[in-house]
Amino acid sequence: FGQPCSIQKNLYLQLQESMLSSASGFKNYRGILNWCVVMLVLSNARLFLENLLRYGILVDPIQVVSLFLKDPYSWPAACLVIVSNVFIFVALYTERKLAMGSISEKVGLLIYIFNLTVILCFPMVVVLKLPSITPVGGAFALGVYTILFLKLYSYKDVNRWCRERTQVKALSNTMTSDDRRTYMYYFVFAPTLCYELNFPRSESIRMGFLLRRLFEMVGNCTLFNSVKPVFILQEMDYSRMTERLLRLAVPNHLIWLIFFYCFFHSSMNFVAELLRFGDREFYRDWWNSETITYFWQNWNIPVHKWCLRHFYKPLLRRGAGKLLSQSAVFFASAFFHEYLVSVPLRMFRLWAFMGMMAQLPLAWFVARFLRGNYGNAAVWLSLIIGQPIAVLMYVHDYYVTHCQDDPTITEAL
Amino acid sequence: FGQPCSIQKNLYLQLQESMLSSASGFKNYRGILNWCVVMLVLSNARLFLENLLRYGILVDPIQVVSLFLKDPYSWPAACLVIVSNVFIFVALYTERKLAMGSISEKVGLLIYIFNLTVILCFPMVVVLKLPSITPVGGAFALGVYTILFLKLYSYKDVNRWCRERTQVKALSNTMTSDDRRTYMYYFVFAPTLCYELNFPRSESIRMGFLLRRLFEMVGNCTLFNSVKPVFILQEMDYSRMTERLLRLAVPNHLIWLIFFYCFFHSSMNFVAELLRFGDREFYRDWWNSETITYFWQNWNIPVHKWCLRHFYKPLLRRGAGKLLSQSAVFFASAFFHEYLVSVPLRMFRLWAFMGMMAQLPLAWFVARFLRGNYGNAAVWLSLIIGQPIAVLMYVHDYYVTHCQDDPTITEAL
């Protein structure tokens, strides 16, 4: 039915899908990201205003800093970080000797293995034995050492590959040891874990870009204070526990998102801009992940690239299967997650380890049964729900072992 | 500095920007949209669980329905909607006479003008004079009449254009009056305001699509209940008022977003799928708007298309300037906004009208001073803050005129 009209004056209507329908294939939602930022800033402004109206200006910034560091006159974590220079110099010296041919490849490898093992064990022993280190300080120091471990491992591998294949041995003699040291420290501070003989460099430092990132970092730090997770851990039944978990999940997730933006976008770009470091791919579009695997491959690109180059591909080259190598990467990642959580808290509960290992069956399940936007929603759900479960476990255990007899802390929790 | 290496084994690092930097040009954030949905559903689930734990099952759905309709035995709004058929038949009859040539174009136009004027005035008079119509019922009835007004205006225009240009007069005689009536009612129920002699049709009804949209509509209705704006309107100073406004802004904005999704995506697609109506462009990517103008041109496509075809372009053809025509469209839109709010509330305060007219200088300001993501953030801000200001104005005035002497309502507000 319907009448034909030979000259349709304005052919406005045509066969097409709505943009929000997945069938439309439309994917540009940059504005939604801006919406999230505006909502976050607005909520924060409201909270700030409310607190100001209710309590006046209460926070003394110096008090906050001293509260974080507890005892500002003995900084064991900072000392640990300063000591880490020793290991950098050991690697530098070993590499120089190897390049000159003063020591054999075997001796060099042994020194490297020893050096790398000590990098992992030394801070662990210090944190476990020194009661004056706070969990935050311990986690920070261990984080620095872990990053250094990965960097020096990459340094060792790349230099060996180049020695094996080219005339670097001859060339490297033209470099002074000053040049070597400068380049090594550039690599140590550069936002990457993969060593290269020539890093891509940007042309100049853009002041506007630098200031925007700095502004974001400061802004996000104040945001951290406004998002407060609620821990209430009395004995309770399952439905009540679910309710608590959901209540914990949202602020915990927001903290994680702010941390991600602050660390992987603002800070890393800030450092990269300062160093004119060209490769800014610190993350890819993990927010569009439709499988768990895609998420793990794209949210933390420096670690992903390191794993691929120095762990996964070498395993494949030595004849290991694909699934085995993948599982090994997850296993190593689980180890480091546990290392960075258990040691500073001085509690070995394996929740972080198990959380990482649980990703394997979860990844299989999502890839097998869910597609497209449903897969994406499953990835988000695993992030929003999965993390607070692990956090809740640690907080619960920390509470049970440390604070049960202290009524003030019990109340605060 | 840096050593050259002729065979770079894995050239991992290369000059590139981070995806979240606007310089990268990356725009695929479909995942963020899914994140919003997951967060919304989770928050709702938590709230539901919390209420269930605290109060048990309290809500009696029949009670809710009767509360909305107040007096289920006299439905004045529903009666008004049924009466609207009269105006449809007048238009149908006039058009038939015109097509047959029984009446002249002038007489036809006069009948149309009379019909359209009555469509706008009749429900207004009824709502204002009949105290039994609730504000919700009144707004619904006026909304239906406004849509009908726009549809019949388009019907009149398109038929005239076709008569002027083609042999429809002859052709239309082959159509029975039954066919005409069916097609007219198809147009009345179709999710468009622009009449065409041949609507684009989809091939079949997809049951899965239909069920998903139905599920969304039901889900969103329960969401509406969980988002509760807070109105507290005692005498207060400006900083306190700002704090209240911000507190009102977020839930109000969420309600608007849910309304948008529910009406423009779920419901319209549902109806379109049922009617096999092909053109599903009910909105475009207004979430990426970088100017106010872009937002108004893209958030409500049926009205935008109608305005363009039956108001803006005819004005241009009659020699009006671009700016004048644009302002005229905003003026008409402001009139209808005021009409749909003031009449059901029986309060003529011009807040909605002024809110719409304020868009003109705002649009100029944003286009002049802000670009890219900053412009987008400004559009979001005007949505999040602008609406609740208008809502607050009306609620405040409604409170002052209606409920000041009634202690129970004062408390509820």
Side-chain angles (χ1 to χ4, degrees):
Chain A
F1 63 134
Q3 309 140 295
C5 182
S6 56
I7 305 167
Q8 286 246 355
K9 188 165 175 83
N10 298 302
L11 189 68
Y12 271 26
L13 309 180
Q14 42 185 301
L15 218 62
Q16 55 191 329
E17 291 285 346
S18 294
M19 277 180 172
L20 288 170
S21 295
S22 49
S24 75
F26 183 82
K27 285 178 189 301
N28 181 356
Y29 293 95
R30 172 86 212 185
I32 306 276
L33 190 71
N34 292 329
W35 176 78
C36 292
V37 173
V38 169
M39 289 295 274
L40 214 60
V41 170
L42 267 189
S43 311
N44 200 41
R46 192 189 69 73
L47 221 67
F48 177 77
L49 198 65
E50 189 185 337
N51 282 327
L52 200 73
L53 286 171
R54 194 171 294 168
Y55 306 113
I57 296 167
L58 264 187
V59 180
D60 177 1
I62 295 160
Q63 208 182 351
V64 172
V65 170
S66 67
L67 203 130
F68 254 99
L69 300 171
K70 277 214 167 141
D71 184 3
Y73 294 106
S74 79
W75 298 36
C79 292
L80 259 178
V81 172
I82 291 166
V83 167
S84 71
N85 283 294
V86 173
F87 304 100
I88 299 173
F89 273 94
V90 169
L92 202 57
Y93 191 75
T94 312
E95 201 46 58
R96 198 179 160 206
K97 291 285 175 202
L98 276 169
M100 294 195 304
S102 326
I103 55 172
S104 72
E105 285 289 326
K106 241 183 193 159
V107 175
L109 186 64
L110 275 174
I111 299 175
Y112 265 122
I113 290 174
F114 179 75
N115 195 31
L116 290 172
T117 315
V118 174
I119 285 180
L120 282 189
C121 297
F122 165 69
M124 186 172 85
V125 172
V126 172
V127 167
L128 287 178
K129 294 288 167 196
L130 215 72
S132 69
I133 293 187
T134 61
V136 172
F140 176 73
L142 283 180
V144 169
Y145 271 83
T146 306
I147 290 169
L148 195 64
F149 171 84
L150 299 174
K151 284 193 187 230
L152 293 185
Y153 191 98
S154 175
Y155 183 72
K156 162 189 90 81
D157 266 9
V158 173
N159 277 315
R160 183 167 52 79
W161 291 335
C162 284
R163 270 199 313 280
E164 279 169 6
R165 280 153 205 263
T166 64
Q167 70 290 18
V168 169
K169 208 181 282 185
L171 238 166
S172 64
N173 287 331
T174 64
M175 243 191 155
T176 66
S177 55
D178 260 9
D179 281 351
R180 272 176 182 283
R181 214 177 304 137
T182 317
Y183 196 66
M184 179 62 147
Y185 272 95
Y186 182 83
F187 170 54
V188 166
F189 286 106
T192 178
L193 299 172
C194 289
Y195 184 69
E196 299 239 6
L197 298 190
N198 275 305
F199 286 113
R201 306 291 295 272
S202 53
E203 279 185 19
S204 59
I205 300 176
R206 295 165 288 176
M207 278 314 285
F209 186 87
L210 211 60
L211 287 175
R212 275 205 300 282
R213 296 294 90 77
L214 190 68
F215 177 77
E216 281 170 7
M217 280 153 72
V218 173
N220 280 332
C221 283
T222 65
L223 266 180
F224 264 120
N225 291 329
S226 72
V227 187
K228 287 193 193 78
V230 189
F231 300 108
I232 302 174
L233 295 158
Q234 286 108 358
E235 298 296 313
M236 40 193 180
D237 53 296
Y238 276 105
S239 65
R240 208 162 283 275
M241 209 130 106
T242 312
E243 200 259 313
R244 288 287 164 221
L245 184 71
L246 288 177
R247 182 175 282 227
L248 176 64
V250 173
N252 175 82
H253 180 61
L254 288 180
I255 287 177
W256 184 80
L257 283 181
I258 296 172
F259 156 78
F260 172 84
Y261 190 84
C262 199
F263 189 71
F264 282 87
H265 186 70
S266 307
S267 312
M268 282 194 163
N269 265 301
F270 183 80
V271 172
E273 192 70 27
L274 263 185
L275 296 176
R276 298 206 292 107
F277 184 80
D279 192 330
R280 310 290 173 89
E281 196 187 42
F282 308 125
Y283 52 86
R284 283 195 290 250
D285 62 333
W286 57 265
W287 46 85
N288 296 325
S289 313
E290 295 178 1
T291 60
I292 300 279
T293 325
Y294 189 88
F295 170 78
W296 286 105
Q297 284 167 353
N298 290 282
W299 88 275
N300 184 340
I301 291 295
V303 166
H304 174 69
K305 277 185 177 161
W306 187 91
C307 285
L308 211 63
R309 193 192 200 193
H310 299 289
F311 199 84
Y312 182 71
K313 283 189 180 171
L315 274 178
L316 284 187
R317 274 198 298 274
R318 281 173 197 181
K322 232 176 152 177
L323 193 71
L324 183 73
S325 307
Q326 251 173 357
S327 308
V329 171
F330 264 99
F331 190 84
S333 169
F335 166 76
F336 277 110
H337 272 85
E338 187 62 33
Y339 175 77
L340 286 171
V341 173
S342 292
V343 176
L345 290 177
R346 301 187 184 89
M347 294 192 315
F348 295 89
R349 288 292 185 285
L350 291 184
W351 299 126
F353 184 83
M354 274 150 57
M356 271 307 294
M357 292 313 281
Q359 300 296 317
L360 281 174
L362 188 66
W364 173 83
F365 177 83
V366 171
R368 178 81 184 71
F369 294 107
L370 298 164
R371 292 259 173 292
N373 291 333
Y374 295 98
N376 185 234
V379 172
W380 279 115
L381 214 60
S382 85
L383 274 177
I384 298 171
I385 299 292
Q387 281 180 6
I389 290 180
V391 171
L392 208 60
M393 292 298 189
Y394 278 103
V395 171
H396 180 263
D397 290 4
Y398 195 83
Y399 165 80
V400 167
T401 51
H402 286 72
C403 338
Q404 205 146 36
D405 308 323
D406 187 338
T408 59
I409 299 178
T410 310
E411 223 160 85
L413 281 169
Chain B
F1 64 134
Q3 309 140 296
C5 181
S6 56
I7 306 165
Q8 285 245 357
K9 190 166 173 88
N10 299 302
L11 188 70
Y12 271 27
L13 309 181
Q14 43 186 298
L15 217 64
Q16 55 190 329
E17 291 285 346
S18 293
M19 278 179 170
L20 289 170
S21 296
S22 49
S24 75
F26 183 83
K27 286 178 189 299
N28 181 355
Y29 292 94
R30 173 86 211 185
I32 306 277
L33 190 72
N34 292 327
W35 176 79
C36 292
V37 173
V38 169
M39 289 294 274
L40 214 60
V41 169
L42 267 188
S43 310
N44 199 41
R46 193 190 69 73
L47 221 68
F48 178 76
L49 198 64
E50 188 185 334
N51 283 328
L52 201 73
L53 286 170
R54 194 172 292 170
Y55 307 110
I57 296 167
L58 266 184
V59 179
D60 177 1
I62 294 159
Q63 206 182 350
V64 172
V65 171
S66 67
L67 203 130
F68 254 99
L69 300 171
K70 275 209 170 144
D71 183 5
Y73 295 104
S74 78
W75 298 35
C79 293
L80 259 179
V81 172
I82 292 165
V83 167
S84 71
N85 283 295
V86 172
F87 304 99
I88 299 173
F89 273 95
V90 169
L92 202 58
Y93 191 75
T94 312
E95 200 47 56
R96 198 176 161 208
K97 290 285 177 205
L98 276 168
M100 293 195 303
S102 327
I103 55 175
S104 72
E105 284 289 325
K106 240 183 194 160
V107 175
L109 185 64
L110 274 174
I111 299 176
Y112 264 124
I113 289 173
F114 179 74
N115 195 31
L116 290 171
T117 314
V118 174
I119 285 180
L120 282 189
C121 297
F122 165 68
M124 186 173 84
V125 171
V126 171
V127 167
L128 287 178
K129 294 286 166 202
L130 215 71
S132 69
I133 293 189
T134 62
V136 172
F140 176 74
L142 282 181
V144 169
Y145 271 82
T146 306
I147 291 170
L148 195 64
F149 170 84
L150 298 174
K151 282 190 189 235
L152 293 185
Y153 191 98
S154 174
Y155 182 73
K156 162 189 90 81
D157 267 9
V158 173
N159 277 316
R160 183 166 50 81
W161 292 333
C162 284
R163 269 198 313 279
E164 279 168 7
R165 278 152 205 266
T166 63
Q167 69 290 22
V168 170
K169 207 182 281 184
L171 239 164
S172 65
N173 288 331
T174 64
M175 245 190 152
T176 66
S177 56
D178 260 8
D179 281 350
R180 272 175 182 283
R181 213 178 304 137
T182 317
Y183 196 66
M184 179 61 148
Y185 272 94
Y186 181 83
F187 169 56
V188 166
F189 286 106
T192 179
L193 300 172
C194 290
Y195 184 69
E196 300 238 5
L197 297 191
N198 274 306
F199 286 114
R201 305 290 296 269
S202 53
E203 279 185 18
S204 60
I205 300 176
R206 295 164 290 176
M207 277 315 284
F209 186 89
L210 211 60
L211 287 175
R212 276 206 300 284
R213 296 292 91 78
L214 190 68
F215 176 78
E216 281 170 6
M217 281 154 72
V218 173
N220 280 332
C221 283
T222 65
L223 266 181
F224 264 121
N225 291 330
S226 72
V227 187
K228 287 193 193 78
V230 188
F231 300 108
I232 302 174
L233 295 158
Q234 286 107 358
E235 299 296 312
M236 39 193 180
D237 54 296
Y238 276 106
S239 65
R240 208 164 283 276
M241 209 130 107
T242 313
E243 199 259 313
R244 289 283 165 227
L245 184 70
L246 287 176
R247 181 175 283 226
L248 175 65
V250 173
N252 174 81
H253 180 61
L254 288 179
I255 287 177
W256 184 80
L257 283 180
I258 296 171
F259 156 77
F260 172 83
Y261 189 84
C262 198
F263 188 72
F264 282 88
H265 186 69
S266 307
S267 311
M268 282 196 165
N269 264 301
F270 182 81
V271 172
E273 193 69 28
L274 262 185
L275 295 176
R276 297 204 294 105
F277 184 80
D279 191 331
R280 308 290 172 88
E281 197 187 40
F282 308 125
Y283 51 86
R284 283 195 291 249
D285 62 334
W286 56 267
W287 46 85
N288 295 326
S289 314
E290 296 178 1
T291 60
I292 300 278
T293 325
Y294 190 87
F295 170 78
W296 285 106
Q297 282 167 355
N298 290 282
W299 89 275
N300 184 340
I301 291 295
V303 166
H304 174 69
K305 277 184 178 162
W306 187 92
C307 285
L308 211 62
R309 193 193 200 190
H310 298 288
F311 200 83
Y312 181 71
K313 283 190 179 172
L315 272 178
L316 284 187
R317 274 198 299 273
R318 280 174 199 183
K322 231 175 153 179
L323 192 72
L324 182 75
S325 307
Q326 251 173 356
S327 307
V329 171
F330 264 100
F331 190 84
S333 170
F335 166 77
F336 277 111
H337 272 85
E338 187 62 32
Y339 174 78
L340 287 171
V341 173
S342 292
V343 176
L345 289 177
R346 299 184 186 91
M347 292 193 314
F348 295 88
R349 288 294 185 285
L350 292 184
W351 300 125
F353 184 83
M354 274 149 57
M356 271 308 294
M357 291 314 281
Q359 300 296 317
L360 281 175
L362 187 66
W364 173 83
F365 177 83
V366 171
R368 178 82 183 70
F369 295 108
L370 298 164
R371 291 261 171 293
N373 291 331
Y374 295 98
N376 185 233
V379 172
W380 279 116
L381 213 60
S382 85
L383 274 176
I384 298 171
I385 299 292
Q387 281 180 7
I389 290 181
V391 171
L392 207 61
M393 293 299 190
Y394 277 103
V395 170
H396 179 264
D397 290 2
Y398 195 82
Y399 165 80
V400 168
T401 51
H402 286 74
C403 337
Q404 207 146 35
D405 308 321
D406 186 339
T408 59
I409 298 177
T410 310
E411 224 161 86
L413 282 170

